[in-house]
Amino acid sequence: MRTQVVIVGGGPSGLLLSQLLLKSGIESIVLERKTKDYVLSRIRAGILEQGMLDLMREAGVGARMDAEGFVHDGTLIAANNETFRIDFVQRTGTPVMVYGQTEVTRDLYEAREKAGGKIVFNTDGVVIHDAKTDAPYVTYMVDGTEHRIDCDFVAGCDGFHGVSRKTIPDSVRSEYEKIYPFGWLGVLSETPPVDDELIYANSPRGFALCSMRNANLSRYYVQCPLTDHVDDWTDAAFWDELKRRIPEEAADKLITGPTIEKSIAPLRSFVTEPMQWGRLFLCGDAAHIVPPTGAKGLNTAASDIHYLYHALKEHYLEGSDEGIDGYSQKALQRIWKAERFSWWMTNLLHRFPDQSDFDLKMQQAEIAFLRDSDAAQTVMAENYVGLPY
């Protein structure tokens, strides 16, 4: 087989790139290690920046998102049983949208299949060959049979554990990582959200977040030790702990019920440099990970897709390689700013095992400054709604 771009990874970033390329008449084949049902079963974040929304619309898959998504003009910060609001629209003129990543992926699959775009599922043993030459190719196994795709470029959208990043030699690749000493216990429940907006809560007992997927589906999180297991937390224990960490007004109106999904996610900050090697380009979690505090995971992947999509368009439609040559540098400039924001929010809102009394006072002062300063609120809003591409 031959195509112009092989996309390794059939999650939202790989699918979004495939659809954007399709709209520009650029051929691609998507390789996915798992099944479609498995990919759609993964529960992920659901806050989309304006840039991501615009890319979905440009890819022709924004109709259901615009009809069913929840536009959010701000968010709530709670500490010491006090709540204040950051107004995104007032500070930046731009809202965000709550629309689950599963729904994003479902919309992209539907569009890809409708357009007849090729997706190969259940691939194993993917190897990226000759990425530093003008004739890269990818081999993979399906049901014990090896296949080969010759191509012009390879987009590695296969996540932290995928093969794409590891294809770049250790002598070329630098990795930067911070592991946080806690995780997030998250639950999904078929209950109405406790508030119309997200509540980020700093509590002496640890961080909590009240979020939602729609009017009857809520997503809640509490900070927990990395040594905890999901089985350690009954539904009753989770709801009791959440109530202890959020403001009393919210706790009093919280509607609880059986959880339909429960998981614990560790938190880390991670960046690899460079994000390209020859004709191989890394996108999303293959190149970087952020803690979920700032809602940047899928959105940072979207910015990578924006830069790569435009670079490939310039190559094929304009005969220019300026975007391709500068992809890594341009993508990393924005990624490190998103990493900084997620790191800042994580430090602002969580309890750390080694925090001293001085550290806690500094954290309280930082929250008070954010509450009282128009400039600080503007900076937070600018970062939360998404820095420009």
Side-chain angles (χ1 to χ4, degrees):
M1 282 187 289
R2 175 167 180 83
T3 192
Q4 291 172 299
V5 182
V6 171
I7 300 172
V8 184
S13 58
L15 292 169
L16 179 59
L17 177 61
S18 72
Q19 285 306 109
L20 289 165
L21 293 176
L22 180 67
K23 289 289 183 178
S24 296
I26 300 168
E27 297 177 354
S28 67
I29 296 175
V30 179
L31 304 180
E32 170 53 43
R33 188 168 62 92
K34 299 291 189 178
T35 66
K36 175 183 173 182
D37 288 343
Y38 178 90
V39 176
L40 289 174
S41 72
R42 295 185 294 210
I43 304 297
R44 295 290 188 268
I47 299 173
L48 307 183
E49 297 175 354
Q50 196 64 47
M52 175 66 178
L53 300 177
D54 290 342
L55 285 173
M56 289 284 285
R57 293 167 185 141
E58 186 175 354
V61 291
R64 191 166 74 96
M65 175 189 74
D66 286 328
E68 300 180 11
F70 287 77
V71 175
H72 278 218
D73 293 340
T75 195
L76 302 173
I77 307 292
N80 302 314
N81 206 36
E82 177 187 30
T83 303
F84 61 94
R85 183 172 186 267
I86 309 293
D87 191 318
F88 301 149
V89 173
Q90 178 189 5
R91 301 293 177 188
T92 70
T94 305
V96 294
M97 180 179 286
V98 174
Y99 189 67
Q101 181 171 322
T102 302
E103 304 311 312
V104 169
T105 309
R106 182 174 286 113
D107 293 343
L108 287 164
Y109 269 134
E110 181 180 332
R112 183 73 176 163
E113 291 164 357
K114 184 177 180 179
K118 189 171 181 59
I119 306 175
V120 184
F121 293 100
N122 293 310
T123 60
D124 193 21
V126 173
V127 180
I128 301 166
H129 303 266
D130 294 348
K132 284 287 286 182
T133 73
D134 292 339
Y137 65 97
V138 178
T139 58
Y140 61 94
M141 306 286 290
V142 174
D143 296 331
T145 301
E146 184 175 87
H147 301 265
R148 169 174 170 156
I149 308 176
D150 293 283
C151 57
D152 301 325
F153 301 97
V154 180
C157 304
D158 50 348
F160 182 77
H161 298 289
V163 303
S164 296
R165 184 180 76 256
K166 298 170 187 175
T167 298
I168 302 177
D170 293 345
S171 60
V172 175
R173 193 175 75 242
S174 297
E175 297 184 347
Y176 306 87
E177 185 173 40
K178 178 178 178 60
I179 304 294
Y180 296 88
F182 43 72
W184 276 17
L185 169 66
V187 306
L188 199 65
S189 64
E190 292 178 324
T191 56
V194 69
D195 197 279
D196 291 338
E197 293 184 334
L198 274 64
I199 302 174
Y200 288 88
N202 174 300
S203 159
R205 300 181 65 88
F207 168 78
L209 171 61
C210 301
S211 183
M212 73 285 289
R213 289 295 176 267
N214 57 50
N216 296 295
L217 191 63
S218 297
R219 185 75 163 151
Y220 296 107
Y221 302 89
V222 296
Q223 175 187 346
C224 68
L226 287 171
T227 52
D228 280 8
H229 299 279
V230 169
D231 293 342
D232 299 332
W233 288 85
T234 64
D235 286 357
F238 175 85
W239 293 122
D240 179 66
E241 187 61 32
L242 179 65
K243 288 179 179 180
R244 290 168 180 258
R245 298 189 188 190
I246 61 179
E248 291 179 6
E249 181 181 0
D252 289 343
K253 63 180 182 179
L254 178 69
I255 298 175
T256 65
T259 63
I260 58 176
E261 193 270 345
K262 190 183 296 179
S263 60
I264 294 178
L267 272 66
R268 64 151 57 100
S269 298
F270 174 85
V271 180
T272 190
E273 296 184 356
M275 287 175 57
Q276 67 186 95
W277 187 60
R279 294 196 166 205
L280 166 64
F281 305 90
L282 304 182
C283 302
D285 287 358
H288 45 77
I289 293 174
V290 291
T293 324
K296 292 297 165 215
L298 179 57
N299 292 301
T300 51
S303 69
D304 297 341
I305 297 305
H306 168 85
Y307 294 128
L308 182 54
Y309 157 57
H310 282 280
L312 292 170
K313 273 184 63 178
E314 290 173 10
H315 171 82
Y316 284 112
L317 305 184
E318 301 173 20
S320 170
D321 283 345
E322 183 177 350
I324 285 174
D325 295 340
Y327 167 75
S328 181
Q329 180 181 4
K330 184 173 287 188
L332 283 166
Q333 286 177 348
R334 191 177 189 277
I335 290 307
W336 276 113
K337 292 174 184 177
E339 291 278 349
R340 184 212 67 83
F341 176 65
S342 298
W343 165 84
W344 172 80
M345 275 200 77
T346 301
N347 281 276
L348 179 75
L349 296 170
H350 290 76
R351 284 294 191 268
F352 288 75
D354 59 350
Q355 273 179 315
S356 65
D357 290 342
F358 179 85
D359 295 331
L360 290 170
K361 284 291 187 181
M362 287 297 97
Q363 190 180 63
Q364 292 168 12
E366 182 78 5
I367 292 172
F369 180 69
L370 179 62
R371 179 195 63 205
D372 299 334
S373 169
D374 289 344
Q377 290 194 14
T378 298
V379 169
M380 178 182 166
E382 287 177 345
N383 281 272
Y384 199 97
V385 304
L387 298 175
Y389 291 160

